[in-house]
Amino acid sequence: MRLGLLYSGGKDSTLAAMLLDEFYDVTVMTATFEITDDWKYARETAQSMGFEFERLELDRQVAEDAVDTIRNDGFPRNGIQRVHQHALERLADSGFDAIADGTRRDDRVPTVSRAQAQSLEDRHDVDYIAPLSGFGRRAVDRLVESTLDVTVGPSEEITRADYEAELRALIAEADGEESIGSLFPAHEQTYVTGFNDR
């Protein structure tokens, strides 16, 4: 069965791909608004991990609406959640038997409720799978530490291919780099560079 996985090149989506690869023909799909070319970082990771890679084009209007939401709220959660839902809808329309993401049990954003998952499955005749939904961050970190080489650092410094990077770029273009710090709390991001030698 063919499965499309939303993929950023970070530790969660890479671990999800590894777990699903035992049971599905996995294609990792990096969602992009074509605002930046950061999707290339995910492609590099996918190649180093041996995964088939494709881009998933998103509607730029959704990014602009998400940026408006982030500005109005003063924080990114609802904007990023809106983008994730849009990405899942696009992925569900892409002809896969199953779709997946790397959301964990303790993620604050993005999340997928049971009702949202059921709606996706019913409307698109596709299976939605969240292979990390039973894992907390500590469990993921332990599995990743024993398996993957990962670069970790502040969100503004790590090269990655996630929604936040493109939303940040839109905000910086319109409002200046200094505006980003007031909207996005400091946090760490990850970028997988391959398997480790342990």
Side-chain angles (χ1 to χ4, degrees), residues 145-149 194-198:
E145 184 179 328
S146 67
T147 311
L148 301 172
D149 278 332
F195 290 104
N196 67 26
D197 296 327
R198 293 180 192 167

Side-chain angles (χ1 to χ4, degrees), residues 65-78:
D65 292 346
V67 165
D68 288 342
T69 297
I70 291 168
R71 284 191 189 108
N72 291 334
D73 291 347
F75 55 84
R77 183 181 308 152
N78 296 324

Side-chain angles (χ1 to χ4, degrees), residues 142-160:
R142 287 177 175 166
L143 289 172
V144 167
E145 184 179 328
S146 67
T147 311
L148 301 172
D149 278 332
V150 180
T151 301
V152 180
S155 190
E156 61 275 7
E157 294 177 14
I158 292 296
T159 53
R160 69 208 188 280

Side-chain angles (χ1 to χ4, degrees), residues 80-154:
I80 290 174
Q81 183 66 34
R82 170 68 182 99
V83 172
H84 191 69
Q85 290 169 339
H86 173 60
L88 284 172
E89 292 287 340
R90 281 286 168 90
L91 187 58
D93 273 338
S94 298
F96 291 101
D97 302 301
I99 63 171
D101 60 23
T103 55
R104 296 186 322 256
R105 181 186 69 216
D106 53 3
D107 276 340
R108 295 178 64 195
V109 68
T111 61
V112 178
S113 71
R114 178 178 282 170
Q116 289 168 330
Q118 188 68 56
S119 176
L120 270 172
E121 291 182 334
D122 291 346
R123 287 182 293 108
H124 298 281
D125 190 28
V126 67
D127 295 333
Y128 165 74
I129 301 166
L132 301 185
S133 64
F135 291 79
R137 180 176 179 165
R138 187 170 65 174
V140 167
D141 287 347
R142 287 177 175 166
L143 289 172
V144 167
E145 184 179 328
S146 67
T147 311
L148 301 172
D149 278 332
V150 180
T151 301
V152 180

Side-chain angles (χ1 to χ4, degrees), residues 31-43:
T32 178
F33 295 105
E34 303 283 336
I35 293 166
T36 70
D37 62 359
D38 288 345
W39 58 268
K40 293 177 180 177
Y41 300 120
R43 182 182 64 188

